[in-house]
Amino acid sequence: MTTYLEAIREGIWEEMERDPAVFCVGEDIGVYGGAFKVTEGFIHHFGSERVIDTPIAESAIVSAAFGASLTGMRPVAEFQFMDFISSAHNQIVNMVAKANYRWGAPAPLVLRGPSGGGVSGGPFHSQNPETYYAHTPGLKVICPATPTDAKGLIKSAIRDNNPCLFFEHKFLYRRVKEELPSGDYTVEIGKARTHREGRDLSVITYAAMVYVAQKAAEILAKEGIEVEIIDLRTVAPLDREAIADTVKKTNRAIILHEDTKTGGLAGEITAVINELAFDDLDAPIARIASLDTPVPFSPPLEKFFLPKVEDVVREARRLRRY
Amino acid sequence: MKKTQTKAQANPRPKQPSATGPNAKASTNGAGALANSPSRRNPHGIPDYRLEIPNFRTVEEWINGEFRYSVEGDFSAPAPPLRESKYLTKEKTIELYRYMWLNRKMEQTLENLFKQQKVVGGVYLGLGQEGCSCASAMALRDGDWIGPMIRNQGALLVRGFKSRDIIMQYMAKADAPTGGRDAGSHFGDQREKHVVAPISMLGDLIPVLAGVALGARLQGKSIACLTWVGDGGQSTGPTYEGFNFAAVQKLGVILIVENNLWAYSTPVERQFACKDLADRSIGYGVPGFIVDGTDPNQVYDVTHEAAQRAYAGEGASLIEAKMMRMRGHAMHDAAAYVPKPYVEYWKKRDPILRMEKYLLEKGWLSEEQNKALIDAAQKQIDQDREFADASPFPEGSTAGERVFCDNSVQIPFAYGGPKVQKVEKRKAGSASDVAHFR
């Protein structure tokens, strides 16, 4: 059994062994092995040339990764927490994301790190900033939920010719584990996965919320409501087809994400359903997301802030009755 | 995990003697020995190659109820001659001079096209800064990289772009390097000319050029990566982040701070509190230098030596080039905020006129040869303008293309591929249970 964290480690490790162009850059990733130990032991195996501890300078980390990618290298840059991606926002959305469009310079780099709440990390160690980047043309944004996908997708991201943002959910790091497929496998970027089959209602979600949906589905199954769970896996590009297909099948949709509600991805997915499957809807689309507040620190506050199993159960019952 | 690495394996940077000579006095900022001796050192020990030290400053005053800038100091000094270059041959000097003329003639043409409303958007001129842009770019080798800013269009010409490329960029034409996707000097070439396309946000090229040098080093090559930033742009965070990264990693980034006295309308007195921006090199722990940005020979020599240090794996250099932006920020800006004595003073220090005088007095060019060179530059620009004018606009419907690079594309290595130590294949092993958050 391999944890989500170990799966990511394995993915990066195997890519570094396979391709000498791959190297890691970030804060405290060398001797210390990273704040969550994703790169622990890498410096001993691959050397300090390929596992580079940097100054605390997110903008420089992203830029240096981009610069190295211009010479054909394939950097994997770590943000100690994805919250700190805002310190590199300009470089990501202006320098990196627009490079191929503006001057034909592909940027094969991976920007990865832990995101998400549920660990009492407070406002600056719990955020889900993926939507800022899903909104930026030129970026691929990946948010895996399972160890199998985490490994397969980090490998695909490293091999991709485009800038990939890889949001690891820190709540899942050591809490989910499974047997991984053997051998050198990848998972395609931009393809959703059916986490659970069901005929009555679809929950379209990703990352840690997949498990919230799963618990709700188990409760609802006892009431005879069979929930289908779609794990998007990639939020940019969105798998529009998979979203439309599940709605055409179940005719009811809940969109669930841990990011805050207003301007969140649920609005975009709602629009996709509106464009591709409006006539198939038997009920309004429901959005379940975090409160429109910063992520609060104290456990009762954070618990109230995050989407809960009860929220999904309640909305599912409402849509079923509609 | 028992394998031990020697220091050399972990950090295999070439250790070669510096190109600079062994006898000159070391500077207090670690600049090391210098073959090309400075005229003086500033109060912090920074070598200063200028042949004159202007003594004036911008002051604020209220006249008839209006706020304006005026100047204090002595503006009467005549322009000094150019310094002799230690490295530029006659042929190379003439080539540099030709690029400076191409740069200026091209920008004059852009101004005319702007007035004829054939340019889309603004035009940014580097008038008075051509010597700095062209000379510094010429001091590099083919495999080196540059990251130019808007006033470094001369550097683009030196790197092998045609003036028609730049003119078409301003005219937003289909045949322009970006095919109309971005404006003006916002273009580059990854594969041959090794130019990083700038973005409008300032200071952001510095960490990128550091990354290019890092990518080259991973391929076993120490290169020079030259980029420029203004007295305004150097105030930004990425400037510090990027140059500090280069300094820490000993990457061959050459940062030329073009102190042209005005950041759009803001004088340097409102941009930074130190006297010389080269002083910042002390804080970065890299060699720093001051040159007269209107003396191409000074710029060339100091950049050349910085490049030699980069090739030897000795890391980054910071060069402050002092001069003045002789036009407004862009064509629309009449620069009425600049006090007249400044303009008169720096007009006498026009880099092209100074270089022309230098070449004629040295006998490296005759009056006729000079005239022929200038006419040839004008003719080239005229042809390029006609070519650009005839180029079509891009098809609007192509706007959606090329957001992503197809994964079937093989991205080439700039220096033959990574030269990293071979690793034996084995399992990743498990991470320990220590974590920042549970």
Side-chain angles (χ1 to χ4, degrees):
Chain A
M1 299 282 262
T2 307
T3 64
Y4 182 94
L5 182 140
E6 300 288 354
I8 296 164
R9 274 173 67 74
E10 276 186 30
I12 303 168
W13 180 285
E14 287 174 19
E15 288 305 293
M16 287 181 78
E17 285 192 331
R18 185 188 61 80
D19 181 357
V22 181
F23 71 99
C24 291
V25 58
E27 296 158 13
D28 305 299
I29 63 166
V31 174
Y32 190 66
F36 288 87
K37 304 293 173 194
V38 171
T39 56
E40 192 174 42
F42 279 44
I43 195 167
H44 308 305
H45 188 58
F46 297 106
S48 58
E49 280 183 285
R50 292 178 74 192
V51 184
I52 302 170
D53 271 332
T54 67
I56 302 171
E58 285 79 11
S59 189
I61 293 167
V62 170
S63 309
F66 172 63
S69 80
L70 291 175
T71 69
M73 302 299 290
R74 290 186 174 263
V76 179
E78 175 174 303
F79 289 103
Q80 201 154 80
F81 287 85
M82 273 303 202
D83 306 64
F84 303 148
I85 200 169
S86 53
S87 296
H89 187 77
N90 182 49
Q91 291 286 7
I92 297 169
V93 304
N94 286 317
M95 185 72 78
V96 172
K98 295 174 174 56
N100 200 63
Y101 188 77
R102 292 167 62 235
W103 59 294
L109 54 94
V110 176
L111 307 176
R112 53 156 288 270
S115 64
V119 297
S120 289
F124 308 112
H125 293 78
S126 308
Q127 293 175 76
N128 296 281
E130 64 272 9
T131 309
Y132 296 117
Y133 303 96
H135 183 63
T136 303
L139 301 175
K140 297 188 178 181
V141 183
I142 300 158
C143 303
T146 67
T148 301
D149 285 345
K151 181 175 177 182
L153 282 164
I154 192 78
K155 284 174 152 257
S156 290
I158 291 169
R159 296 177 193 188
D160 203 279
N161 278 352
N162 298 282
C164 292
L165 276 60
F166 194 83
F167 289 81
E168 299 159 12
H169 203 293
K170 69 175 81 66
F171 185 83
L172 303 180
Y173 267 155
R174 292 174 164 86
R175 285 184 176 84
V176 296
K177 55 174 71 176
E178 65 188 359
E179 288 296 338
L180 298 185
S182 60
D184 178 24
Y185 73 95
T186 58
V187 172
E188 192 183 346
I189 295 169
K191 287 276 179 264
R193 171 184 71 96
T194 305
H195 182 76
R196 185 186 193 279
E197 297 252 11
R199 59 172 190 274
D200 297 324
L201 183 143
S202 301
V203 177
I204 301 163
T205 187
Y206 59 94
M209 288 297 117
V210 167
Y211 301 97
V212 171
Q214 187 179 303
K215 279 186 188 152
E218 285 160 14
I219 294 167
L220 291 160
K222 290 174 192 153
E223 302 170 13
I225 302 174
E226 287 302 330
V227 173
E228 177 148 298
I229 300 171
I230 300 298
D231 172 10
L232 292 168
R233 303 195 285 193
T234 302
V235 299
L238 267 182
D239 190 344
R240 293 164 59 89
E241 206 172 307
I243 294 167
D245 285 350
T246 189
V247 174
K248 284 176 185 170
K249 177 178 169 189
T250 66
N251 314 113
R252 288 173 172 80
I254 292 172
I255 304 159
L256 166 66
H257 60 61
E258 189 183 313
D259 187 14
T260 53
K261 190 179 220 173
T262 303
L265 209 67
E268 177 62 27
I269 296 166
T270 301
V272 169
I273 296 170
N274 191 37
E275 285 161 7
L276 300 181
F278 180 75
D279 290 340
D280 296 285
L281 284 173
D282 287 343
I285 298 162
R287 283 192 292 170
I288 303 171
S290 288
L291 291 188
D292 282 329
T293 68
V295 186
F297 170 58
S298 184
L301 295 175
E302 190 183 21
K303 197 176 167 209
F304 188 80
F305 164 88
L306 290 169
K308 286 167 281 293
V309 174
E310 306 91 271
D311 298 332
V312 181
V313 170
R314 185 191 65 241
E315 287 301 290
R317 287 173 184 155
R318 180 174 73 83
L319 295 195
R320 189 76 178 98
R321 285 196 306 269
Y322 188 87
Chain B
M1 307 267 168
K2 282 282 184 276
K3 184 173 45 161
T4 50
Q5 290 179 335
T6 64
K7 197 165 179 245
Q9 277 174 323
N11 207 356
R13 293 169 197 147
K15 283 273 179 286
Q16 286 166 21
S18 164
T20 54
N23 299 322
K25 201 174 130 205
S27 91
T28 55
N29 74 335
L34 294 160
N36 170 29
S37 328
S39 310
R40 61 155 204 156
R41 285 171 191 279
N42 86 352
H44 298 288
I46 303 289
D48 183 348
Y49 290 84
R50 291 176 297 168
L51 297 178
E52 60 176 353
I53 313 298
N55 182 26
F56 43 68
R57 56 192 291 268
T58 306
V59 293
E60 300 164 1
E61 59 182 20
W62 289 89
I63 304 278
N64 300 330
E66 284 190 10
F67 178 94
R68 69 174 198 189
Y69 296 117
S70 72
V71 285
E72 282 177 354
D74 180 11
F75 287 83
S76 62
L82 297 189
R83 257 184 99 109
E84 283 300 323
S85 169
K86 190 172 159 60
Y87 306 108
L88 279 168
T89 59
K90 175 186 163 188
E91 290 68 30
K92 201 129 197 213
T93 309
I94 294 168
E95 194 189 350
L96 165 57
Y97 176 60
R98 192 177 64 81
Y99 275 121
M100 287 160 66
W101 268 118
L102 273 177
N103 184 355
R104 179 159 301 175
K105 295 285 186 192
M106 176 184 73
E107 294 190 355
Q108 286 170 349
T109 295
L110 287 170
E111 180 173 356
N112 292 336
L113 288 165
F114 178 85
K115 287 173 179 163
Q116 293 164 19
Q117 297 183 329
K118 287 188 170 175
V119 159
V120 180
V123 168
Y124 302 85
L125 302 179
L127 190 72
Q129 303 183 210
E130 298 95 335
C132 184
S133 291
C134 296
S136 51
M138 273 190 73
L140 300 190
R141 304 196 291 218
D142 272 354
D144 295 336
W145 284 66
I146 68 166
M149 289 305 295
I150 45 171
R151 302 197 202 288
N152 306 117
Q153 298 182 138
L156 289 166
L157 298 175
V158 171
R159 280 316 274 191
F161 281 108
K162 300 239 177 340
S163 49
R164 69 173 60 162
D165 293 327
I166 300 169
I167 296 170
M168 286 190 292
Q169 278 287 114
Y170 277 102
M171 297 175 82
K173 294 298 186 77
D175 299 318
T178 66
R181 278 144 191 257
D182 203 347
S185 58
H186 282 199
F187 64 99
D189 177 36
Q190 179 187 13
R191 301 202 178 186
E192 284 165 20
K193 299 183 182 76
H194 290 172
V195 176
V196 181
I199 62 175
S200 295
M201 297 74 194
L202 302 178
D204 286 9
L205 282 172
I206 300 165
V208 174
L209 271 288
V212 170
L214 177 66
R217 187 165 73 199
L218 287 162
Q219 294 171 50
K221 183 99 175 152
S222 287
I223 61 165
C225 288
L226 170 62
T227 187
W228 299 260
V229 74
D231 46 275
Q234 62 80 42
S235 295
T236 64
T239 299
Y240 176 77
E241 286 197 21
F243 205 57
N244 181 56
F245 185 90
V248 168
Q249 283 287 330
K250 271 200 167 303
L251 296 164
V253 174
I254 304 171
L255 176 61
I256 299 188
V257 181
E258 294 181 303
N259 181 350
N260 66 13
L261 300 177
W262 299 92
Y264 209 143
S265 71
T266 303
V268 288
E269 285 77 4
R270 288 196 167 205
Q271 203 70 238
F272 51 89
C274 54
K275 187 145 174 54
D276 296 312
L277 284 169
D279 287 345
R280 303 221 160 145
S281 62
I282 300 166
Y284 289 114
V286 306
F289 309 90
I290 298 168
V291 294
D292 176 349
T294 66
D295 181 341
N297 287 349
Q298 288 181 35
V299 174
Y300 184 90
D301 282 12
V302 171
T303 312
H304 171 84
E305 289 176 358
Q308 303 311 307
R309 284 191 297 278
Y311 305 144
E314 294 171 15
S317 302
L318 191 156
I319 302 165
E320 180 185 6
K322 292 179 190 273
M323 57 200 144
M324 193 171 95
R325 192 194 73 207
M326 297 302 284
R327 294 293 295 266
H329 170 63
M331 280 298 300
H332 66 272
D333 170 20
Y337 43 81
V338 177
K340 288 283 176 294
Y342 268 131
V343 180
E344 293 311 314
Y345 179 89
W346 288 103
K347 252 188 193 160
K348 287 186 274 184
R349 283 149 186 80
D350 182 297
I352 295 185
L353 296 184
R354 289 179 78 186
M355 182 56 103
E356 182 176 52
K357 189 158 177 276
Y358 173 83
L359 289 166
L360 293 173
E361 281 177 2
K362 251 180 130 62
W364 282 3
L365 277 184
S366 67
E367 292 282 0
E368 297 72 40
Q369 286 168 325
N370 183 42
K371 188 177 177 306
L373 181 148
I374 298 168
D375 289 348
Q378 183 65 58
K379 199 173 159 203
Q380 176 68 57
I381 299 298
D382 290 344
Q383 285 172 357
D384 280 2
R385 183 186 56 185
E386 279 171 36
F387 182 94
D389 212 10
S391 172
F393 278 115
E395 276 295 324
S397 60
T398 62
E401 295 168 7
R402 212 178 73 187
V403 175
F404 291 103
C405 172
D406 195 272
N407 277 328
S408 62
V409 172
Q410 281 287 323
I411 301 173
F413 290 109
Y415 303 99
K419 303 222 174 13
V420 294
Q421 62 187 80
K422 288 252 187 305
V423 291
E424 301 159 35
K425 288 221 166 182
R426 57 188 167 83
K427 277 272 180 200
S430 314
S432 61
D433 211 23
V434 184
H436 203 116
F437 287 101
R438 309 293 313 166

